[in-house]
Amino acid sequence: MSAPAAAAAALRERRVWRTLESVPDPEIPVVNVVELGIVRHVRTAGDGRIHVGLTPTYSGCPATEVIEQAVRTALDHAGLDDVALETVLWPAWSSEWLSESGRRKLEAFGVAIEPRAGAAPACPRCASRNVERIGEFGSTPCKAHYRCRTCLEPFDTFKCI
Amino acid sequence: MSAAIAPERPHATAEERFEYTLRLADTSLVAGQRLAEWLGHGPALEEDLALGNIALDLIGQARLLLALAGRIEGRGRDEDALAFWRDAGQFRNVSLAEQPNGDFGQTIVRQCLLDAWQLETYASLAGSLEAELADIAKKAVKECRYHWRYSSGWLVRLGDGTEESHRRVGAAVQDLWRFTDELLTPDALDARMTECGIAPPAAAIRERWERRVAGVLAEAKLPQPARSHYPWHGKRGVHTEALGHLLATLQHLPRTYPGVSW
């Protein structure tokens, strides 16, 4: 690729990233798909076409297809209609892929994050460590359900897998 | 793909790879459909959510695996064609997966025996020479880990619970144990896949499965039945009658309205 072509490609890739940052997760709309850590790459292929790699959070997450459609629509609206979407399975998503800003937004929204698999999080409301797990499964595949023994509020927790 | 295979390994044919991938895919699909039957009927809201979530993971794994099987076969069948347009005799799931739910305890026992097998199988498949299968396995194993935590946790609670719960899960273990040998004993295709570097060695899976299951049965204060040698052949397409009934529900809609979409 020539230097001007490479510069143009880099500019387009940055526009794609910015557009992706405008796509909220359909189930937890306070975070966008980039913060959620499911955009694996944005790169320009040899033919000049941009490829966006998305990874599902869970194999059966029903939001996966909704997210693909939302990404496609956002890119179309931004005039980036010649973008190929591809599914990337490895490395598999885990809560480690959540960005720092994604974590802060989730916690502000009232969703805690397990520090490691099965380990109790702090209550997102009162920060108490005195919490109990009600169920390892919650309203979406990525969440478990906890209750705070200090402020007595139940809360969702992003599972660590 | 061929470049990744060491020269001393034999090459599996597309037909063998297709059949082997179907065994994994159909086991997840059928087990997921069974668990989905619990929706709205769980003994508590949390268990309803849990069984529904596990079903969702299993059906997600099945979709990835069926799509892969369709690509290996190369005859244009996608995940939907394979899930909805094959009859029971063409399904390759292990017989354990299709056994009816029974009560909550029976479902937990079936799931626990199956989770232990899926967990060990996917963990080993991460090193498979079938590269796409390895990627699916590396994702699935993370999900199977907490499926196992759930089912084994409940087995201990019920086995080491009341007299009634102990009696009921104990009876379920005795009843379902006869389907476990099929999980652990390789047939000619399994052996061939191991030889080709696609499937893990069956002896290692058996050893890890037995250790895992023996540990949880001991903790649940349940006796371990003697090894069963009864030959079930779900993975060769010879099923118990339960599968036909399950497929009737699973396949009804697309067969009644072919090509229907939302």
Side-chain angles (χ1 to χ4, degrees):
Chain A
M1 212 183 286
S2 67
L11 201 65
R12 272 212 317 153
E13 286 170 17
R14 276 206 298 280
R15 278 188 61 207
V16 169
W17 277 111
R18 274 205 305 277
T19 306
L20 293 171
E21 282 165 2
S22 73
V23 179
D25 176 82
E27 282 169 338
I28 317 164
V30 289
V31 291
N32 65 53
V33 296
V34 177
E35 290 169 322
L36 190 59
I38 60 171
V39 180
R40 279 304 149 76
H41 59 252
V42 172
R43 58 174 170 241
T44 307
D47 60 0
R49 201 160 180 228
I50 291 191
H51 289 242
V52 173
L54 297 172
T55 195
T57 50
Y58 285 72
S59 302
C61 182
T64 305
E65 279 150 33
V66 181
I67 290 172
E68 273 179 27
Q69 283 165 14
V71 164
R72 172 65 69 201
T73 306
L75 291 170
D76 282 352
H77 282 184
L80 296 155
D81 51 2
D82 191 28
V83 175
L85 296 187
E86 52 205 17
T87 302
V88 184
L89 290 181
W90 182 255
W93 183 89
S94 74
S95 37
E96 308 261 297
W97 287 85
L98 277 170
S99 74
E100 260 318 303
S101 64
R103 282 167 187 272
R104 280 197 305 275
K105 286 183 190 173
L106 278 174
E107 279 170 350
F109 185 61
V111 177
I113 298 162
E114 274 183 357
R116 45 174 206 288
C123 170
R125 192 171 172 272
C126 72
S128 166
R129 290 253 156 218
N130 187 13
V131 299
E132 63 179 331
R133 193 169 70 201
I134 300 171
E136 198 164 351
F137 301 86
S139 53
T140 66
C142 52
K143 285 181 289 188
H145 211 55
Y146 279 75
R147 176 166 47 211
C148 176
R149 290 205 190 96
T150 306
C151 72
L152 305 180
E153 285 292 326
F155 61 93
D156 271 338
T157 300
F158 231 76
K159 277 193 286 220
C160 179
I161 61 160
Chain B
M1 181 66 225
S2 57
I5 296 173
E8 69 272 18
R9 294 245 189 224
H11 288 245
T13 65
E15 198 186 335
E16 290 167 332
R17 291 159 56 216
F18 172 69
E19 283 285 316
Y20 179 71
T21 307
L22 276 189
R23 290 180 174 186
L24 300 165
D26 289 343
T27 295
S28 279
L29 179 64
V30 167
Q33 174 73 12
R34 272 287 179 241
L35 289 182
E37 291 171 9
W38 273 103
L39 288 178
H41 301 280
L45 184 57
E46 286 73 19
E47 308 328 314
D48 210 83
L49 279 172
L51 296 173
N53 266 288
I54 296 171
L56 201 56
D57 286 338
L58 291 173
I59 290 170
Q61 294 165 10
R63 289 184 61 179
L64 295 170
L65 290 163
L66 284 174
L68 172 61
R71 285 195 296 278
I72 292 172
E73 189 194 33
R75 284 172 42 201
R77 289 203 280 184
D78 64 7
E79 62 201 69
D80 284 346
L82 289 168
F84 296 131
W85 294 96
R86 283 179 302 148
D87 291 329
Q90 295 159 313
F91 270 72
R92 296 290 182 263
N93 58 283
V94 294
S95 306
L96 176 65
E98 74 210 27
Q99 295 314 305
N101 283 335
D103 61 22
F104 181 69
Q106 281 167 277
T107 295
I108 287 297
V109 170
R110 186 191 66 213
Q111 198 54 33
C112 197
L113 299 171
L114 200 58
D115 284 341
W117 179 75
Q118 283 196 320
L119 180 48
E120 297 301 351
T121 302
Y122 285 135
S124 298
L125 277 172
S128 173
L129 292 182
E130 183 85 52
E132 286 185 78
L133 184 57
D135 282 353
I136 296 170
K138 283 183 270 190
K139 179 145 198 75
V141 72
K142 288 162 165 265
E143 296 159 356
C144 292
R145 228 173 259 140
Y146 69 77
H147 299 168
W148 162 258
R149 264 208 311 274
Y150 176 82
S151 62
S152 62
W154 264 112
L155 187 58
V156 169
R157 229 172 299 166
L158 294 169
D160 190 16
T162 66
E163 221 172 274
E164 175 72 4
S165 69
H166 177 82
R167 183 184 65 74
R168 283 163 74 164
V169 288
V173 170
Q174 294 298 327
D175 179 47
L176 292 171
W177 198 257
R178 65 205 149 111
F179 296 107
T180 56
D181 200 54
E182 187 191 359
L183 305 176
L184 308 170
T185 302
D187 67 359
L189 177 63
D190 292 323
R192 167 92 180 139
M193 288 298 103
T194 303
E195 196 191 351
C196 297
I198 292 175
I205 300 292
R206 175 183 282 279
E207 193 196 317
R208 285 185 222 131
W209 182 91
E210 283 176 345
R211 199 177 326 132
R212 192 176 273 281
V213 170
V216 78
L217 287 175
E219 210 187 324
K221 301 199 163 63
L222 293 166
Q224 180 166 345
R227 181 169 166 181
S228 153
H229 291 282
Y230 197 87
W232 295 94
H233 297 302
K235 56 190 182 185
R236 279 195 247 153
V238 183
H239 292 280
T240 63
E241 69 172 288
L243 182 65
H245 295 278
L246 177 143
L247 292 180
T249 309
L250 175 76
Q251 298 176 331
H252 167 74
L253 194 79
R255 286 191 180 210
T256 310
Y257 304 100
V260 70
S261 66
W262 295 109

